[in-house]
Amino acid sequence: MCGIFVVYNPKGLRGDLNRYCEGLRTLTHRGPDDEGYYIDEQIFIGHRRLSILDLSRAGRQPMISSDGNTVLAFNGQIYNHLELRAALESRGHRFVSRSDTETLLAAFIEFGPGVFERLRGMWAVVIWQVRERQLWLSRDRLGMKPLFVYHGAETVLASEPKAIIHYDRQSATLDERSAARYLARGWTDDDDNTFFREIKSFPPASFSRTSDGVFGDPVRFWNLAFDGTANHNVDTLRDAIEDSVSRHLQSDVPVAVTLSGGMDSSTVACFAARVRSAQNVHAFSVIAPNTPDESEFINKTVHETRMSHTYLRIDDLDHEGMIDEVVAANDAPPVSSSQVFQAGLRKAIANEGFKVVLVGEGGDEVLGGYALMLPIFIYSLILSGQFIRAARALAGARDLMGESRWTTLRRVLSFAQSGIGGRTYQVSRHGYSLLSEQFADSDSGMFPATDYSAAKRMPVGRPYYREVLDRFRVDIGSILRVEDRSGMAQGLEVRPPLLDHELIESAWRYPFREFMRSGTNKNLMRKALKGIVPDKIVDFRRKIPRPGNTSHLVSERLRAAVRQHAQNPPAALKPILENDLGKMFEEDLASASPHRLPVWFRFYALSRWAELRLPN
């Protein structure tokens, strides 16, 4: 929704207004509609606005309370702000705008940090209390909206690292650990580190405040948790999905939806058409080259809902140019080619004049959608003595796994012996081959420990719940970072209704045995969608890959560029890399292995990141 840039020095600001405003304007893409700032002797708070609710100047930020004591800069959307506003009005608060920003400001004044537990939505917020000389920070539960922190000569806070680097070039130093982790596994969003050693991500579901100019440790106000005791109720889950989609449609500007043909995006699109009426919903789709064609599912949804729909062409992408654009937008390299196509789609939607788009991200993680979760689900049933249910899930595995029940059973036994989950299993280990001995020998110190306490508290289904937590740790942070940056690079706010925290809590009240009953992924969701999403989609059980064939991209479109970088990697990366990568690339190219070539995509993307983002 917006961009935030803050410089804080309790001993007194050292810079000048022009320099602060220059840092803020590196975030113009996040907020192309307006600019505002607050400054006193200790703090500069700058804000770039993407106007979505109350487009008038009454919604301008930073917003200052009527008594002048509280200054707030906010990036995000509060979906329950109307209920909050009504409660605040009953306590005597009066409002001059229709914006959720003003509601949040009044709610903080009324409830203090207790407000964050009351919010439903996505946010990164900075609050300055003038008389107390106290600075507050907070991010939403899942980390949908970003906030980065750098403690140099002054503390700098920003929605993206690029603003911090522009203000202080000394912050642009390589974090070798993050770069090595990215090459080895592909994920880096499971802790507060970035690719820049001194720039940290403020943790989600947390708030912090300064005391005598020093930031306190972040305080968590929410944790992932399972219940598992509720009886399955189709209507309850359906209502929770509809409520979430309805709230995510709040906007004073036109809203689009993405429609891939899969169950998650079709769910969001169909509920949006149901809530708003189909004439007020515009769906966008893309058929990417070298990936399965889902147009029959897309067309079925469009036909049954009668929503407006457009196929966007992005198959003629300049892949090298788009990778550079993704690197610039994320201040980090993309994990796979699907993120390049995603960025192209978001760019095309913004070019159609939209500022808000709803997406289907999160359904697989929340509701048990991934095929490689099934062996762990079956093992969890066996451990809990539910042998008949385990046999039924194994019998139904063929449609989801695309393999015989005996092959799936071997996967179950392999998990029982190794404990290696589906999320880790699906990642090629070949990335370690590119690393120097210092980083290739061991994972020690490279990967943070996962908090599995929520799974340990469950009397049954612990392996399944651990897998869900692992996917949230690994996947959700990456998904949300990419969605935020690919959208905001175009002044487009991306909203994922299936990752609404109340929807997650509603779904996770049901026993784990319901999520993949009889070997059917998203079993709970499929039952809730009957009569709303076309049966052709609800009954289709195979997983279709995301757009973009990474192996094909490396072997065809990027071959020369990858070869050049393998023969002469950027100097900053050489300490973490194995020697003679050029020979290794040629061998992997000749093998055409789908397990090896995607690693070279990551290598190329990391090399371009180093060239574009690190000092020469």
Side-chain angles (χ1 to χ4, degrees):
M1 174 181 174
C2 299
I4 296 170
F5 180 74
V6 176
V7 181
Y8 170 64
N9 190 339
K11 296 181 180 179
L13 291 178
R14 300 180 180 183
D16 60 70
L17 182 59
N18 287 336
R19 188 177 172 212
Y20 302 143
C21 288
E22 284 180 9
L24 174 60
R25 285 167 190 156
T26 62
L27 301 174
T28 297
H29 54 279
R30 295 188 68 92
D33 296 329
D34 196 10
E35 176 181 294
Y37 65 84
Y38 166 90
I39 188 170
D40 64 25
E41 65 273 15
Q42 291 184 340
I43 197 166
F44 170 88
I45 303 176
H47 187 268
R48 292 291 318 190
R49 185 184 182 197
L50 180 67
S51 302
I52 292 174
L53 283 183
D54 192 343
L55 311 185
S56 74
R57 290 180 64 84
R60 195 178 197 194
Q61 298 186 49
M63 191 169 285
I64 305 174
S65 60
S66 58
D67 64 359
N69 187 53
T70 308
V71 183
L72 181 146
F74 162 57
N75 169 31
Q77 183 73 41
I78 306 302
Y79 300 120
N80 65 335
H81 82 100
L82 293 177
E83 295 98 316
L84 276 173
R85 176 169 291 208
L88 290 165
E89 286 176 330
S90 70
R91 294 172 179 244
H93 291 267
R94 296 294 175 262
F95 297 90
V96 298
S97 76
R98 294 182 294 104
S99 73
D100 54 344
T101 305
E102 189 179 10
T103 306
L104 179 55
L105 175 62
F108 179 81
I109 293 170
E110 182 69 32
F111 303 117
V115 67
F116 302 123
E117 296 179 13
R118 298 170 180 256
L119 300 180
R120 183 177 181 181
M122 54 184 183
W123 70 86
V125 62
V126 175
I127 302 169
W128 175 241
Q129 292 178 302
V130 179
R131 286 192 297 271
E132 296 87 346
R133 316 310 286 169
Q134 195 165 70
L135 180 62
W136 296 80
L137 314 177
S138 179
R139 281 181 76 200
D140 63 74
R141 291 170 178 81
L142 296 181
M144 296 182 186
K145 286 299 162 185
L147 186 62
F148 295 92
V149 183
Y150 169 68
H151 297 295
E154 299 170 293
T155 293
V156 188
L157 314 169
S159 298
E160 296 178 13
K162 61 176 59 66
I164 296 173
I165 293 168
H166 181 86
Y167 182 78
D168 187 345
R169 290 294 297 173
Q170 292 187 35
S171 64
T173 56
L174 172 68
D175 184 75
E176 293 182 344
R177 175 178 173 273
S178 293
R181 292 176 65 212
Y182 168 78
L183 274 181
R185 297 288 182 87
W187 67 75
T188 59
D189 294 279
D190 50 350
D191 62 15
D192 63 357
N193 293 303
T194 71
F195 284 84
F196 305 98
R197 186 183 307 150
E198 305 300 329
I199 300 177
K200 305 298 182 183
S201 176
F202 188 80
S206 301
F207 67 85
S208 179
R209 67 172 180 173
T210 58
S211 178
D212 295 326
V214 178
F215 281 94
D217 292 336
V219 177
R220 287 192 68 86
F221 59 85
W222 185 80
N223 286 288
L224 291 168
F226 304 102
D227 184 327
T229 62
N231 293 322
H232 177 219
N233 186 306
V234 172
D235 293 336
T236 300
L237 184 57
R238 181 189 298 120
D239 291 347
I241 296 171
E242 182 166 345
D243 179 58
S244 180
V245 173
S246 177
R247 289 175 182 274
H248 282 71
L249 287 167
Q250 294 178 26
S251 174
D252 290 336
V253 297
V255 177
V257 298
T258 56
L259 181 60
S260 70
M263 190 184 302
D264 295 339
S265 68
S266 300
T267 296
V268 172
C270 289
F271 274 103
R274 177 184 172 101
V275 169
R276 267 207 172 187
S277 82
Q279 294 79 10
N280 295 318
V281 175
H282 197 108
F284 290 96
S285 305
V286 60
I287 305 299
N290 306 301
T291 51
D293 184 352
E294 295 183 85
S295 58
E296 63 172 313
F297 300 106
I298 294 169
N299 295 340
K300 185 70 173 174
T301 297
V302 171
H303 174 74
E304 290 197 11
T305 61
R306 301 187 182 279
M307 69 177 67
S308 301
H309 177 258
T310 302
Y311 278 109
L312 297 171
R313 289 188 58 83
I314 60 170
D315 53 325
D316 57 349
L317 281 177
D318 169 13
H319 291 89
E320 291 183 44
M322 277 304 300
I323 289 171
D324 284 357
E325 285 191 31
V326 172
V327 166
N330 283 262
D331 295 313
V335 173
S336 70
S337 61
S338 66
Q339 295 180 357
V340 178
F341 281 95
Q342 180 189 60
L345 177 58
R346 304 297 181 262
K347 185 175 185 178
I349 292 173
N351 288 341
E352 293 289 324
F354 287 87
K355 286 185 175 182
V356 178
V357 60
L358 272 60
V359 300
E361 302 289 1
D364 288 316
E365 289 79 7
V366 174
L367 292 157
Y370 289 113
L372 285 173
M373 298 176 79
L374 183 57
I376 302 168
F377 173 78
I378 294 171
Y379 179 65
S380 299
L381 290 172
I382 294 171
L383 277 187
S384 59
Q386 301 180 59
F387 302 115
I388 294 176
R389 286 194 172 98
R392 288 172 178 166
L394 184 61
R398 180 187 292 274
D399 288 341
L400 178 60
M401 301 292 292
E403 60 191 26
S404 72
R405 73 177 66 181
W406 304 114
T407 301
T408 301
L409 181 58
R410 283 195 292 270
R411 291 185 186 274
V412 175
L413 295 174
S414 175
F415 175 77
Q417 293 170 353
S418 69
I420 297 176
R423 179 62 183 85
T424 304
Y425 180 86
Q426 72 189 41
V427 177
S428 168
R429 301 279 299 181
H430 185 52
Y432 288 91
S433 302
L434 277 64
L435 296 174
S436 63
E437 184 176 350
Q438 175 187 356
F439 292 97
D441 283 351
S442 172
D443 287 351
S444 177
M446 289 179 66
F447 297 93
T450 299
D451 179 7
Y452 292 120
S453 58
K456 291 177 181 177
R457 286 193 291 269
M458 301 306 295
V460 295
R462 291 177 184 175
Y464 176 80
Y465 289 126
R466 282 173 62 97
E467 176 69 9
V468 172
L469 289 173
D470 200 51
R471 287 183 177 274
F472 263 79
R473 175 181 69 89
V474 172
D475 292 340
I476 295 300
S478 177
I479 287 169
L480 293 174
R481 170 176 58 82
V482 172
E483 283 290 13
D484 174 81
R485 301 311 187 281
S486 64
M488 296 307 293
Q490 313 300 329
L492 179 71
E493 180 175 284
V494 181
R495 300 177 179 177
L498 300 182
L499 286 173
D500 174 76
H501 86 275
E502 290 198 9
L503 173 56
I504 294 171
E505 290 173 351
S506 177
W508 288 359
R509 292 189 182 103
Y510 301 124
F512 86 95
R513 65 175 182 267
E514 300 293 340
F515 285 86
M516 305 186 85
R517 178 187 282 270
S518 299
T520 302
N521 66 330
K522 297 183 186 170
N523 171 65
L524 289 167
M525 189 177 190
R526 291 177 193 274
K527 292 178 178 178
L529 299 181
K530 281 291 186 180
I532 297 173
V533 175
D535 288 344
K536 187 180 187 69
I537 295 169
V538 174
D539 296 335
F540 186 75
R541 294 178 59 190
R542 290 292 302 277
K543 290 289 294 179
I544 295 179
R546 289 173 178 268
N549 184 317
T550 303
S551 296
H552 181 271
L553 184 60
V554 170
S555 62
E556 299 297 329
R557 301 286 186 94
L558 297 176
R559 179 195 300 239
V562 177
R563 176 179 289 125
Q564 178 183 348
H565 284 81
Q567 293 171 348
N568 187 24
L573 297 180
K574 288 182 178 179
I576 73 168
L577 297 174
E578 181 61 272
N579 294 325
D580 204 5
L581 291 183
K583 179 182 178 181
M584 191 185 303
F585 174 65
E586 298 303 331
E587 292 172 351
D588 289 346
L589 194 62
S591 75
S593 168
H595 300 293
R596 292 174 174 261
L597 290 179
V599 171
W600 290 102
F601 176 87
R602 297 204 297 268
F603 166 76
Y604 173 72
L606 180 64
S607 296
R608 288 302 296 149
W609 170 83
E611 291 171 341
L612 293 170
R613 281 290 179 258
L614 295 179
N616 296 325

